[in-house]
Amino acid sequence: IKEGQRLISTFGNSPMGYSLPAAIGAAFARPSQRVVCLDGDGGFQLNIQELQTVAYYRLPIKFFIMNNQSMGIIKQFQDAYFGSRYHATVPEHGYAAPDFVKIAESYGIPAFSVSRLKDADKAIERALVSDGPMLVNVMIDVAQKLTPKLEFGRPLEDMSPYLDREELKKAMIVPLLPESKTIPENKGWVNLAQ
């Protein structure tokens, strides 16, 4: 983040569907500042109808959809805790992403796709210098992981991949919170540590 910029994020909490309405709110709150929205293909679909709001008000939001053709964060949980059983998170098991370029264009929002790393700089520049809203569908590897990532039983400051405990202690300005070894057993909960 550079001086004069602001990052609005839920960080490790990952509520899917947050980014698009948050970007709209930021655009209304600071109409003279550029708003860039980074979202995944799964999360973007939860509020995709709000592109109509963006189009109606001509909000100059630049959308970058990190499209791995899966529910990537949920898939990571399925890897970590459910034996990589990808129910409803990959195309082979019920997940589908639409053509985001066509959807944006149907609302009158210019859009294009980029799939090669060597084209990334030009794609970013093209989006950022454009007037009005713009959507960039960024095709990424289906196996792409999100890091750092919050995991069960760990405090927010202790995300995967984990730092050495001593290195983490040195970086902290407050004492470390204890890490939990199991998920509380309760009706409806399963102890995943077993």
Side-chain angles (χ1 to χ4, degrees):
I1 304 299
K2 297 176 183 170
E3 188 174 343
Q5 293 180 337
R6 210 176 232 191
L7 172 66
I8 300 172
S9 175
T10 62
F11 296 99
N13 296 316
S14 300
M16 290 179 66
Y18 171 84
S19 296
L20 177 50
I24 291 171
F28 277 117
R30 302 278 175 108
S32 64
Q33 292 188 338
R34 179 183 343 190
V35 176
V36 176
C37 177
L38 303 175
D39 207 347
D41 53 300
F44 195 74
Q45 290 188 74
L46 293 179
N47 285 308
I48 200 166
Q49 75 282 356
E50 292 303 332
L51 286 176
Q52 188 277 330
T53 303
V54 173
Y56 180 79
Y57 290 103
R58 296 298 300 158
L59 298 173
I61 302 169
K62 312 310 179 193
F63 296 98
F64 291 86
I65 309 303
M66 303 299 128
N67 189 343
N68 63 356
Q69 297 289 305
S70 69
M71 295 280 205
I73 294 173
I74 297 171
K75 197 173 127 192
Q76 279 183 248
F77 273 103
Q78 291 170 329
D79 284 334
Y81 303 107
F82 301 108
S84 299
R85 291 187 300 274
Y86 299 136
H87 181 71
T89 54
V90 295
E92 304 80 44
H93 296 286
Y95 174 78
D99 185 328
F100 294 108
V101 170
K102 287 181 180 177
I103 289 177
E105 290 174 343
S106 73
Y107 284 105
I109 296 172
F112 65 95
S113 287
V114 64
S115 60
R116 299 182 311 180
L117 183 59
K118 69 180 188 174
D119 299 330
D121 288 342
K122 286 182 183 175
I124 292 168
E125 183 179 347
R126 177 179 169 191
L128 295 182
V129 301
S130 67
D131 291 328
M134 171 76 77
L135 184 142
V136 182
N137 181 43
V138 183
M139 299 303 298
I140 60 175
D141 192 297
V142 69
Q144 180 66 47
K145 300 283 189 198
L146 178 67
T147 57
K149 184 176 172 308
L150 185 62
E151 293 187 352
F152 288 126
R154 297 283 185 148
L156 188 57
E157 70 275 4
D158 192 12
M159 295 187 185
S160 170
Y162 303 113
L163 291 175
D164 173 77
R165 301 308 293 170
E166 291 305 314
E167 184 178 352
L168 181 59
K169 283 180 190 175
K170 287 179 190 173
M172 295 294 294
I173 58 173
V174 296
L176 282 177
L177 293 173
E179 60 184 271
S180 171
K181 298 296 182 195
T182 62
I183 295 171
E185 289 191 68
N186 197 341
K187 290 182 181 176
W189 282 88
V190 176
N191 186 342
L192 301 175
Q194 295 179 351

